[in-house]
Amino acid sequence: MLLRWVREIQPSTTCSLPAVHQLLPLPPDFVGRNAEFARLRKQIEDGARLISVRGMPGIGKSVFAQKLALAVREMFPAGQLRVDLRGNTRKPRSCTDALTYLIRSLAGGIAIPTTEEELLAVYRSLVHNKNFLIVLDNAACEDQITPLIGPPGCLFLITSRTRFILAGLVAEDLLPLSIDESVALLLRLVPRVATNVAELASLCAG
């Protein structure tokens, strides 16, 4: 059975499939995070291919990862994918479901295998020797993402509330915004609060 899937994907991976572009647009009110952004972009330009953005709920991990992905996407012309792993829900996305989503994104016309072992074989064949950018958003734990980490040429941007220990991982912890950044964000979101913006920013604690 696995040989059938390999035969199906081989022609498509060599010629006909267009690049996939699943990155979300950056919200117009994004502000701050310049130092963190510069650090991680330099790491990627220097060859880092496994990046983790961590932080408390609502700190802006996913949007920050969007900004970073959009900034470096030209380095990964094979395509850019994004999968929501639903780590903050009662039922995080299973590895099998995530693999199925990624395979359909890359080669939607092929028959999808049903076991995790077969899904992994097809997924690895699709990304082999290619430089994809893959955002693994809202990861719950190491076990959920480890099978999805592909070959060295691909960039994996992981967002999570959890700390991971993975070989080669570059981690960035997002802290609350500074007062100046909070003020700038509030003025973009609600300009009418200008009179009391500094006090409001302080009350919101970044």
Side-chain angles (χ1 to χ4, degrees):
M1 293 291 286
L2 184 57
L3 282 176
R4 191 189 82 199
W5 286 305
V6 172
R7 292 192 189 103
E8 282 189 51
I9 66 173
Q10 278 178 338
S12 63
T13 56
T14 57
C15 57
S16 59
L17 285 178
V20 179
H21 304 287
Q22 296 181 343
L23 298 181
L24 300 175
L26 193 66
D29 50 20
F30 185 92
V31 299
R33 307 293 186 200
N34 294 330
E36 299 95 324
F37 175 81
R39 277 196 298 270
L40 289 185
R41 181 167 186 169
K42 179 69 163 54
Q43 291 276 3
I44 294 168
E45 290 171 347
D46 288 345
R49 292 296 177 263
L50 189 56
I51 305 289
S52 172
V53 180
R54 306 180 302 211
M56 68 177 72
I59 202 75
K61 300 179 294 294
S62 296
V63 178
F64 177 81
Q66 285 172 230
K67 179 179 180 179
L68 187 60
L70 289 168
V72 301
R73 61 182 167 181
E74 300 303 324
M75 297 173 59
F76 303 93
Q80 304 92 42
L81 298 98
R82 176 188 173 276
V83 54
D84 183 359
L85 297 175
R86 304 170 191 158
N88 64 341
T89 67
R90 292 183 178 179
K91 192 175 181 180
R93 199 167 200 159
S94 68
C95 182
T96 298
D97 188 31
L99 286 167
T100 299
Y101 174 83
L102 289 167
I103 291 168
R104 282 182 174 149
S105 296
L106 293 168
I110 70 168
I112 304 294
T114 55
T115 70
E116 185 173 319
E117 181 182 7
E118 292 167 332
L119 286 164
L120 280 169
V122 174
Y123 170 65
R124 288 168 181 161
S125 296
L126 286 168
V127 299
H128 178 68
N129 265 350
K130 295 181 176 64
N131 52 352
F132 286 99
L133 187 164
I134 302 177
V135 178
L136 302 176
D137 197 20
N138 198 9
C141 60
E142 285 180 40
D143 290 343
Q144 187 187 32
I145 62 169
T146 300
L148 306 177
I149 305 301
C154 296
L155 170 63
F156 293 87
L157 294 179
I158 305 161
T159 72
S160 180
R161 302 175 185 180
T162 307
R163 291 177 176 270
F164 302 126
I165 300 175
L166 298 168
L169 180 70
V170 175
E172 183 73 40
D173 291 308
L174 294 190
L175 301 176
L177 294 173
S178 69
I179 289 296
D180 288 344
E181 290 171 333
S182 298
V183 165
L185 178 58
L186 284 168
L187 288 175
R188 287 196 183 188
L189 293 172
V190 195
R192 67 178 182 274
V193 302
T195 304
N196 304 107
V197 68
E199 181 182 2
L200 183 57
S202 179
L203 289 171
C204 291

